[in-house]
Amino acid sequence: MAAALWNLNRLAQSMAGLMPIADLQAVFSGYEPALMAAYSERIRAKLGLMWAGEQDMYY
């Protein structure tokens, strides 16, 4: 998961010369929450948990 975020940051840096930084931030800002939600869902399924609890922590 950390590798995916690192790769995304490198991609954003490489595209910085092609488009405004604000546009890049807007495009990529939704990726990390979506990644964390998908990762959490897969881990819960692997552990046999049916739903997320209110105390679940996302890093």
Side-chain angles (χ1 to χ4, degrees), residues 9-48:
N9 282 321
R10 298 295 78 78
L11 176 62
Q13 285 180 347
S14 69
M15 295 179 72
L18 302 173
M19 45 190 316
I21 298 296
D23 290 346
L24 286 171
Q25 289 173 336
V27 168
F28 292 127
S29 65
Y31 182 77
E32 186 174 1
L35 175 67
M36 294 302 295
Y39 178 75
S40 298
E41 185 176 323
R42 292 190 76 182
I43 293 298
R44 279 194 308 276
K46 198 177 258 193
L47 295 173

Side-chain angles (χ1 to χ4, degrees), residues 1 3 5 7 16 19 27 29 31 33 36 38 43 45 48-49 51 54-55 58:
M1 183 171 59
L5 293 175
N7 287 336
M19 45 190 316
V27 168
S29 65
Y31 182 77
M36 294 302 295
I43 293 298
L49 303 173
W51 57 85
E54 289 182 23
Q55 294 84 19
Y58 299 99

